[in-house]
Amino acid sequence: MAEKGKTMSLVLQFMIMATSFSGMYLGGEKIGYTIIDTKPTESGYILKEIVFIRLGMMGAKRSMETSSVYELDREYRLKKFSFELESETQKISSNGEIKERELIYSVKTGNRERSERIKLDGDVYVSQSIPFLVSTLRKNLLLSVFDPTIFAVNQAKVGIIKETGDSIKIETELLGAKSTTWVGKNGEILRSEEPMGVLIVKENKKKALEFGETSPEILTMFAIPAGMEVKNPRNIIYLKAIVKGRFKKTDRQKLSGDTLTVKSIGPDEKLIPRSPPGSGCSRVKPRPVPEELKRYLEDTPLIQVDDRRIRNKSARIIRGTRDNWEKVKELVNWTSQNVEDFPSATIPSALDVLEILKGDCNEHSTLFCALSRAAGIPTDICVGLALMDGYFYYHAWNKVWVGRWVEVDPTFNQIIADATHITLEEGGLKDWAKIMDLVGNIEIRVIEYR
């Protein structure tokens, strides 16, 4: 019986040693494809995935390609990985492995490589291996899943909805967003309905790789109508709206039932930290901040505060200023004036943006965050919505601590962000991913503004 079990295991391994092609669609239009290649090894499996995406952004076609290689054990648990992303404006790579209940990985971007560690509570998987795992175990699962695009491990809940002889229909919930997938008997994806309305369908190689003449305009596809005409949105200091969805409560944004109010709030001059003489020099240490604010000064793999290029640029921009609010003004103005508006599909990295000086709101807010933190100002990134031409569009901007939190927008060159900026989340990439379940599920009807 043992020999028979071993033979059956080998048969299964050879069955899944194949390459699978899938087309990706949004709103009925082709936006990309995936190629997944799996093969058995002596100790488990090698899973390779290529994802190519092409979208319309403000009339231009923008593309991004990712390449991932995962080394898995016989139970599909992650052992090692490598990841690369390339777009018109960026190339970023990462690789890592699991050692002694830690995921140790490095990220290379902007000619800088940085190592990080994630402490683990147990086994870790990747989302690409879930179909193989479910087709083998045939049961509901709760998994820790690593995502190299956001450098984070999150819990995924996988449930079997329906099982037939040839396929399994499963639902996966990750970061609050749900996907429904039909998995073939060999673990291949036959069809998957993803968050944000993305559809992935198994196709032959020729069909999967071909594109039409047009690409869907991603920025307008998810725009939310304001419900009434709002004149001069950049000058709005108060907004009241009836809403549907999940909205973050902040110092300037309150939610009572289904009524959201937002106020544009500036600094209190009496609370603004003053800088000591010589603070415009990069060699001077940042002014001490309260313990609870120190995380807003941290260097991260994509907000490279401690890199000399970021510190030197920040020091030159704020030279001659004597308080943190003056520094904020200089940094907002410099970022707005020097980073060219360029819609892009990237993982935003401050060093990459500083090098090419191009990008959309994600790049503006990421570079500003690094420059502002380097100046000793606690800073974070806000992601949410901003009103333009009668619609709320997904947008990113910043908040700075100058005795209290004040929101600024380096994309719009707003020293104080107007009240049509509605926050959904704050933080880095792993926090941005939390709004996926909201896209397409938010309603806003403005009822008052001034």
Side-chain angles (χ1 to χ4, degrees):
M1 289 296 292
E3 287 299 319
K4 184 177 180 181
K6 185 182 292 185
T7 302
M8 290 298 292
S9 177
L10 288 173
V11 171
L12 178 60
Q13 284 187 338
F14 282 109
M15 284 174 67
I16 68 169
M17 185 173 62
T19 301
S20 176
F21 295 85
S22 298
M24 298 176 64
Y25 297 86
L26 181 61
E29 293 190 76
K30 188 72 167 285
I31 63 167
Y33 58 80
T34 67
I35 306 171
I36 294 180
D37 180 81
T38 58
K39 67 177 181 179
T41 65
E42 290 185 359
S43 60
Y45 308 92
I46 296 294
L47 191 156
K48 300 179 181 180
E49 181 189 53
I50 293 174
V51 178
F52 180 84
I53 297 175
R54 190 182 75 182
L55 297 166
M57 292 186 172
M58 296 179 64
K61 291 180 181 179
R62 297 286 183 256
S63 62
M64 174 180 70
E65 182 174 310
T66 65
S67 175
S68 309
V69 179
Y70 302 106
E71 184 178 330
L72 313 174
D73 68 11
R74 291 185 181 275
E75 283 71 46
Y76 303 101
R77 294 173 295 207
L78 178 64
K79 294 168 61 179
K80 295 181 180 181
F81 81 93
S82 64
F83 171 81
E84 289 186 355
L85 178 150
E86 189 165 359
S87 69
E88 289 92 348
T89 60
Q90 183 189 45
K91 185 173 183 178
I92 183 172
S93 62
S94 177
N95 61 78
E97 61 181 317
I98 293 178
K99 289 184 177 180
E100 299 178 353
R101 301 185 75 83
E102 281 190 323
L103 175 56
I104 304 169
Y105 67 96
S106 64
V107 181
K108 185 175 182 181
T109 177
N111 295 318
R112 183 209 192 198
E113 189 166 1
R114 174 191 169 106
S115 296
E116 292 286 327
R117 294 171 180 262
I118 300 176
K119 291 186 178 181
L120 306 173
D121 295 326
D123 298 330
V124 174
Y125 302 82
V126 291
S127 60
Q128 294 85 348
S129 68
I130 290 177
F132 298 107
L133 194 61
V134 171
S135 67
T136 302
L137 299 179
R138 306 259 171 163
K139 66 178 183 179
N140 299 337
L141 302 167
L142 184 62
L143 307 171
S144 294
V145 176
F146 173 66
D147 185 342
T149 64
I150 60 175
F151 310 109
V153 175
N154 293 291
Q155 290 291 308
K157 184 179 179 181
V158 185
I160 295 177
I161 301 174
K162 183 179 180 180
E163 186 172 351
T164 66
D166 296 328
S167 66
I168 307 170
K169 182 181 179 182
I170 65 173
E171 180 181 80
T172 303
E173 182 175 349
L174 181 63
L175 290 171
K178 296 180 180 180
S179 61
T180 302
T181 306
W182 286 259
V183 180
K185 59 184 178 180
N186 297 330
E188 61 184 353
I189 294 176
L190 305 177
R191 176 187 175 94
S192 189
E193 297 171 358
E194 299 289 317
M196 299 172 60
V198 173
L199 176 65
I200 298 175
V201 183
K202 181 185 176 182
E203 297 176 335
N204 61 48
K205 180 178 179 180
K206 181 180 179 181
K207 185 175 181 181
L209 301 184
E210 67 183 7
F211 282 85
E213 292 297 320
T214 62
S215 296
E217 183 63 45
I218 189 69
L219 300 180
T220 58
M221 181 170 287
F222 297 111
I224 302 165
M228 70 177 294
E229 182 182 5
V230 179
K231 297 180 179 179
N232 302 317
R234 300 291 74 85
N235 297 327
I236 302 302
I237 61 171
Y238 174 82
L239 184 80
K240 186 175 183 180
I242 304 300
V243 299
K244 176 184 176 183
R246 186 180 72 246
F247 298 84
K248 195 172 187 68
K249 293 183 179 180
T250 69
D251 292 346
R252 69 197 290 271
Q253 182 170 298
K254 308 298 179 186
L255 183 64
S256 178
D258 63 355
T259 303
L260 180 76
T261 57
V262 186
K263 296 179 180 179
S264 183
I265 298 176
D268 184 332
E269 294 292 333
K270 294 179 291 185
L271 299 176
I272 297 173
R274 307 292 169 178
S275 302
S279 62
C281 175
S282 61
R283 292 188 295 272
V284 175
K285 293 182 179 180
R287 183 184 180 92
V289 300
E291 190 68 31
E292 65 271 18
L293 295 177
K294 286 185 177 179
R295 67 188 182 98
Y296 299 106
L297 292 172
E298 289 179 352
D299 177 282
T300 74
L302 299 176
I303 302 174
Q304 303 94 340
V305 178
D306 292 337
D307 189 273
R308 62 176 180 81
R309 289 163 287 182
I310 294 290
R311 288 204 167 275
N312 290 343
K313 176 58 71 174
S314 178
R316 286 194 292 271
I317 296 168
I318 65 173
R319 183 178 291 121
T321 58
R322 285 296 177 263
D323 67 56
N324 282 1
W325 187 236
E326 288 298 320
K327 293 178 183 178
V328 168
K329 291 179 181 178
E330 294 296 329
L331 291 168
V332 168
N333 183 65
W334 184 90
T335 305
S336 177
Q337 296 297 321
N338 289 275
V339 179
E340 178 188 345
D341 291 331
F342 187 89
S344 56
T346 66
I347 295 177
S349 161
L351 277 177
D352 286 339
V353 184
L354 183 61
E355 180 180 351
I356 66 171
L357 294 177
K358 284 184 178 182
D360 56 27
C361 59
N362 297 312
E363 283 70 37
H364 282 76
S365 58
T366 299
L367 177 57
F368 174 85
C369 188
L371 294 171
S372 185
R373 288 184 181 184
I377 304 166
T379 307
D380 206 3
I381 299 173
C382 305
V383 290
L385 302 155
L387 185 62
M388 292 174 280
D389 300 323
Y391 289 83
F392 285 94
Y393 291 86
Y394 285 88
H395 189 56
W397 62 99
N398 299 90
K399 68 175 187 177
V400 294
W401 178 264
V402 284
R404 68 182 180 195
W405 287 112
V406 175
E407 296 184 16
V408 301
D409 190 334
T411 305
F412 294 161
N413 200 11
Q414 286 191 303
I415 304 302
I416 301 173
D418 66 72
T420 76
H421 288 65
I422 298 176
T423 303
L424 300 176
E425 274 296 340
E426 298 172 346
L429 280 177
K430 62 182 180 181
D431 302 294
W432 298 11
K434 296 175 185 176
I435 73 169
M436 281 197 306
D437 65 316
L438 295 175
V439 177
N441 295 306
I442 287 181
E443 295 177 13
I444 302 173
R445 179 167 58 88
V446 177
I447 58 175
E448 183 182 347
Y449 71 92
R450 57 178 180 267

